[in-house]
Structure formats: structure tokens, C-alpha cells
Amino acid sequence: MLYHPYFPLGRSFLLAILLLSTGRAHAEDDLPRIHRIVIHGLERTDEQVIRRELLFAEGDVLDSTLVAETARNLRRLLFIGEVHIRLLDRPEGVEVTVEDLYSRAFSPLISGQIDELSFGAVALDYNFRGRGQRLRLGLGNQAISGPWAEVLFAEPRLGGSRRALAVQLTTGAEGHDHALTFSRPFATLADRRAYGLSLFSQQAVRRLYSEGQLKTRYQDALDGSRIWLVRSYGEQTKVRPSVQLQVSHRRFTATTTDGYAPSDRTRIVPSVGLLVWRPRYKRTRYIRDLGPLEDLQTGSWLSLHWGFVHRSLGSDRTFSLYQAQLAPRFEPTKRSYAELTLFTSAYRGKGEFYNLLASASATAYFRLGVVHSLALRAALEALHRSEDADQLLLGLARGLRGYAPRRYDGTRRVLFNVEARPTWVRRPWYTLASTAFVDCGAAWTPDHKKANLVCSPGLGIRLGWPKVYNTPVLRGDIAYGLEEGSYELSVGLGQYF
């Protein structure tokens, strides 16, 4: 049913929904129809941006499922806040009232220690020109890799259609990361197909560390493309088979004459996949963000993927690849949510498995009182018989805020985070909160290096803007590494987890 405290409805509208949901036999001509649609609340957004998201039109019979999904789709737009849909007086019409949020934000980016500080700034506009387009500009300097700049632009409705276009241009002192994607994503739960084409070019310097010290480095250049097609079946449970073809050419160059570098490779990978998903949503507050109602995804899913690489197709070697992900979602109580994610991938060639990656993570959120929350995360990752000399790093950027970004390394990584998130001040234009946290983790390599669990307590400030694109959170954390007796600073956008 559509009736919900945040979703105001007129009596006749409720009656129409009741008749539809109970399946009473009425001729279609006798059912209430929509004769006009009125949209209110827009100040910066073109009305057509809202109309193109509606799953009902003038002349359609009222449908509770489409109305509920329309509201959810509108709230998913980062520049739209609350959405209310109600029936107008006769002649029958539907009024769509939206909260038109500010879509621009500017944030500093700061992390590290004084003697090894990474800094920069990012400017965002999630409703560029009032057309629902996204623009991101970034500029900064990484302590290790040097200066960088980026431009990201996305048009979610190319020419008013369901097709999307996204462009990413990132360049820096040590390389670049460019991508162009044309796609037709699933816009509604009823959509039956999605497809896309992506072209990409990346170049970067890869570094391998030992005990926080640089061991070797090499240049990694990757050029490629990917094309995919997905079909969708089912109503309550979505079953989505897919086919995909990826072509890539990767080149490695050692930075010194005796340095390490993997072998060059060309890969042509046809593959198939299957996603089984139960789309469920819960409207709640103070879980991930700082107060607004969130459409929390509470539906579980299972994803399977299989592909192959063969020399006869032009690849450098022959093997098959396997990938699986299971993501159960739970609601233990009315005020708590838990997410479990299990993932594994591997190659199989010459009768044995290699390049194995396995991970398991669990995240839980508890709402305390009216405006406070508690968040917990635990994760375990493992690499085995890697195709390259890959490693798992642990530090400030990997979940251990009191230590340098590359302080610990290995082929195994474990992580625990606990955050108390009290909210102190709530105003129409800003929300001030804080966090007290403890991070613990370890990275090690079996048979070579033992696990050394280290912890870092810390404090942080969270500042949210409820009237700016779905309350972005400006985060500032300072943590103390107990093992080294040093402080690490991190400033950026978004919750840490």
C-alpha cells in the first residue's frame, strides 16, 4: 500500500489505490484517471527534469506502485529532497511537490601529516544549468604522486531520452585516468533492459611497499573498452542475466633497469553474468546521513559472473574467470540495520586456480534516541597467488585513520571500525554533529610476516547542509596512532563508512 506518514494522499486517491491493490473487478474505464499533473516547489530546476522522471502521465489510470516508485526516483536525484504526491480536487489531477535543493558545494581535501600532507579542493554541481547534469572539478597535490586535476561531467538524460553520457578527464604528474561512457541504465524497476559502451585509458605509477618503505615501482598503462547488455525479469524478485565483452591492452615499464614490472598483456574477455535481487526500501533517518529521510536499500542480492580468455581470440594466455558476490541485508530491530557482503573472484588455467581475491565485510547501524547513531564495520580481505605482486595496504585511506596511508602492507588485511555519532545542533540550513571513533586493523603476509593489530582512537566533526544536494557531509577527523604515537588529519566529503 502507498499510505505512509510522509506521503500525503487524498481520500479518493486512497480509494483508487485500494481498488487497484485488492484486484476488484472494475472495467478500466471506470477507474480514476489522471487528467492533469501540476508540479510545485521548483526554483533552480527546469520543470521538464521532473516531468521526465514521472512514471505516470495525463490520461493514465492511477497506479500505486508507479506513484511510489516515482517518488523514490525523484528523491534519488541529488538536487531533490522531500517529495509529496497527492490528488487534486476534480477534475482529477495529481500534484507533485518537490523540495528543490541547492546543488553546488565546495570542499577542501586534506590528509596526512605535516611533513607528508596531501591537499586539494573539489567543487560540485549536481544540477548544472538546472538540467540535472552533474559537474565536478578538482585540483590538488598528492604527497607521493604530485599535482593532479580532474573534470567529470554526466548527462543522465541525453537529449531527453533514457540514455546517459558520462565523461571523466583526470591528469596528474604521474599519469591520467580518462573514460567515456554511453549507456542506457535501468531507470525504473519495470525496465526490461540496460546496455552500455565504455572507453577508458589509464596510466599511473604503481608502488610496492614493505614496512611502510618503498620497495619498488613501475609504470602501468591500460587502454580498453567494454560493452554490455542486461535483461530483467520478475516483479517481486528481479532476475537479470547479462552478457559482456571487454577488450584491454596493458603495458608495464620498470622505472629502473633492475626494477620489477609485470609482463605486458592483451585480454579479450567475453563473459556472462546473473543478478538475483529483491528490491526493498526503508525510509529512515540518522543512519548514513545527518538527518534527512533516506531510501535505505534493505533488499538482498546474489551476483554471479563467468568469462574466459583464450589465445585463439588474440589474448596473451588462456584461462577462465569466476566471480561471485552475496549481499544479505537485515533489519534486526526497528532502529538498526545490518549489511553483510561476501565476495570472491579467481582465475583458473592449466588445471589450477590463481589470482584469488576473497573478502567479507559486515556493517551495522544503530539509531540511538532521536538524532544519534552508532556505526560498526568489520572487514577481512585476502589475496592468494596473485598474477602480479599485488598487496593490500592499510592506513589512513584504507580504514586506519591514525596511521600513514601506506604504513602496513601484506596479502591479508583485517579491519574494525566503531563510531559513535552524536548530533548536537539541527537547523534548517545546517546540522552540526561529531564522532568519537576507534579504528583497529592489521595487514600481513602468511609465512613471511605476522599480523600486528594496531589501533587508533580519534575525534571528528561532521557538518551537514540539509538544503544542499541531499545533505553532503563535510568531515574532519584527527586520529592518534597508538603504535607510533603520531597524529593523522583527514578532511573531506562524506561519512567515513
Side-chain angles (χ1 to χ4, degrees):
M1 291 292 292
L2 193 58
Y3 181 71
H4 199 280
Y6 67 83
F7 207 98
L9 298 167
R11 182 179 299 175
S12 57
F13 194 54
L14 284 174
L15 178 60
I17 293 169
L18 181 63
L19 293 176
L20 287 171
S21 60
T22 55
R24 295 182 180 178
H26 290 289
E28 188 172 291
D29 291 341
D30 295 334
L31 293 174
R33 291 183 176 272
I34 301 170
H35 294 289
R36 59 193 176 104
I37 299 174
V38 182
I39 297 176
H40 296 297
L42 297 178
E43 297 180 11
R44 290 160 290 275
T45 305
D46 190 296
E47 185 174 309
Q48 284 303 118
V49 174
I50 304 301
R51 287 191 176 273
R52 69 192 186 191
E53 298 298 327
L54 303 182
L55 302 181
F56 50 83
E58 294 174 351
D60 290 352
V61 174
L62 288 171
D63 188 315
S64 63
T65 301
L66 295 182
V67 172
E69 190 176 353
T70 293
R72 190 166 58 244
N73 285 352
L74 288 172
R75 289 191 299 267
R76 194 176 292 126
L77 300 175
L78 293 175
F79 49 90
I80 297 297
E82 284 304 297
V83 177
H84 302 285
I85 303 177
R86 67 185 184 90
L87 188 70
L88 296 174
D89 295 333
R90 292 182 177 275
E92 286 85 352
V94 170
E95 180 184 67
V96 180
T97 302
V98 299
E99 182 184 10
D100 194 4
L101 303 176
Y102 286 90
S103 61
R104 297 172 184 169
F106 178 84
S107 172
L109 304 172
I110 305 173
S111 64
Q113 299 171 327
I114 297 300
D115 58 346
E116 189 182 297
L117 197 64
S118 296
F119 57 89
V122 60
L124 309 168
D125 190 340
Y126 281 90
N127 191 13
F128 187 55
R129 299 189 304 152
R131 300 292 301 169
Q133 300 165 338
R134 300 182 184 181
L135 180 65
R136 174 187 173 109
L137 304 175
L139 187 66
N141 185 81
Q142 289 289 336
I144 298 299
S145 58
W148 59 272
E150 68 172 1
V151 178
L152 286 81
F153 175 79
E155 169 56 87
R157 291 296 194 89
L158 193 61
S161 69
R162 291 286 186 185
R163 300 172 183 86
L165 179 69
V167 180
Q168 172 184 336
L169 299 173
T170 305
T171 185
E174 292 189 346
H176 64 264
D177 187 355
H178 306 328
L180 173 65
T181 302
F182 172 79
S183 63
R184 200 280 189 189
F186 290 109
T188 71
L189 293 176
D191 277 0
R192 295 304 181 190
R193 74 182 189 282
Y195 56 82
L197 168 66
S198 178
L199 307 174
F200 51 88
S201 176
Q202 303 169 357
Q203 182 175 308
V205 173
R206 307 295 179 189
R207 292 173 168 84
L208 299 176
Y209 291 87
S210 178
E211 303 295 337
Q213 301 299 314
L214 179 65
K215 185 168 68 173
T216 188
R217 61 180 181 175
Y218 57 89
Q219 189 176 79
D220 181 355
L222 171 66
D223 299 301
S225 61
R226 185 170 71 96
I227 187 170
W228 66 92
L229 172 65
V230 187
R231 296 287 294 179
S232 182
Y233 303 92
E235 299 300 331
Q236 299 300 319
T237 299
K238 296 294 181 181
V239 179
R240 292 178 173 175
S242 63
V243 294
Q244 175 180 288
L245 176 65
Q246 179 166 313
V247 180
S248 64
H249 181 55
R250 201 166 183 179
R251 305 171 303 283
F252 303 94
T253 305
T255 56
T256 60
T257 56
D258 58 347
Y260 166 81
S263 301
D264 292 351
R265 63 192 63 153
T266 298
R267 299 282 162 86
I268 301 173
V269 189
S271 61
V272 295
L274 178 66
L275 172 68
V276 181
W277 169 49
R278 296 205 70 181
R280 291 179 176 176
Y281 300 89
K282 181 68 177 292
R283 294 283 280 164
T284 187
R285 294 182 187 270
Y286 290 97
I287 300 301
R288 290 195 176 96
D289 293 326
L290 289 179
L293 281 165
E294 305 171 53
D295 287 299
L296 198 65
Q297 165 60 257
T298 60
S300 304
W301 73 86
L302 169 67
S303 174
L304 302 173
H305 195 82
W306 176 85
F308 68 93
V309 173
H310 204 280
R311 290 181 182 273
S312 63
L313 298 178
S315 298
D316 61 289
R317 61 190 306 177
T318 298
F319 62 88
S320 54
L321 58 92
Y322 304 85
Q323 188 178 98
Q325 183 179 57
L326 176 63
R329 297 293 184 259
F330 307 99
E331 190 176 349
T333 69
K334 293 182 178 180
R335 303 170 66 86
S336 64
Y337 302 89
E339 303 174 354
L340 179 65
T341 303
L342 306 174
F343 174 83
T344 184
S345 67
Y347 296 167
R348 180 173 175 82
K350 297 182 179 180
E352 58 184 6
F353 286 98
Y354 65 99
N355 207 52
L356 176 66
L357 169 63
S359 67
S361 65
T363 307
Y365 302 94
F366 303 86
R367 205 174 78 193
L368 307 176
V370 178
V371 298
H372 313 300
S373 63
L374 177 70
L376 304 97
R377 177 175 64 173
L380 173 65
E381 297 170 89
L383 295 172
H384 182 64
R385 299 189 62 196
S386 298
E387 188 176 34
D388 304 323
D390 287 338
Q391 59 183 183
L392 299 170
L393 298 176
L394 188 61
L396 184 145
R398 300 293 193 275
L400 202 57
R401 279 166 280 191
Y403 296 87
R406 304 158 303 281
R407 180 62 183 88
Y408 300 100
D409 62 86
T411 59
R412 305 291 188 272
R413 179 169 64 194
V414 64
L415 180 67
F416 304 95
N417 302 99
V418 180
E419 278 196 2
R421 298 174 175 175
T423 299
W424 305 114
V425 180
R426 291 185 298 162
R427 295 290 185 269
W429 280 98
Y430 72 94
T431 300
L432 179 63
S434 64
T435 178
F437 59 84
V438 176
D439 300 336
C440 293
W444 73 99
T445 301
D447 302 327
H448 292 281
K449 182 170 53 177
K450 293 183 179 180
N452 180 26
L453 188 68
V454 295
C455 296
S456 58
L459 298 172
I461 294 293
R462 303 291 186 267
L463 182 63
W465 293 278
K467 299 293 184 180
V468 179
Y469 75 94
N470 276 319
T471 188
V473 178
L474 177 61
R475 179 190 74 247
D477 291 331
I478 185 167
Y480 181 75
L482 297 177
E483 184 82 4
E484 299 178 350
S486 62
Y487 290 93
E488 294 284 341
L489 174 68
S490 173
V491 176
L493 279 178
Q495 297 278 25
Y496 201 66
F497 64 95

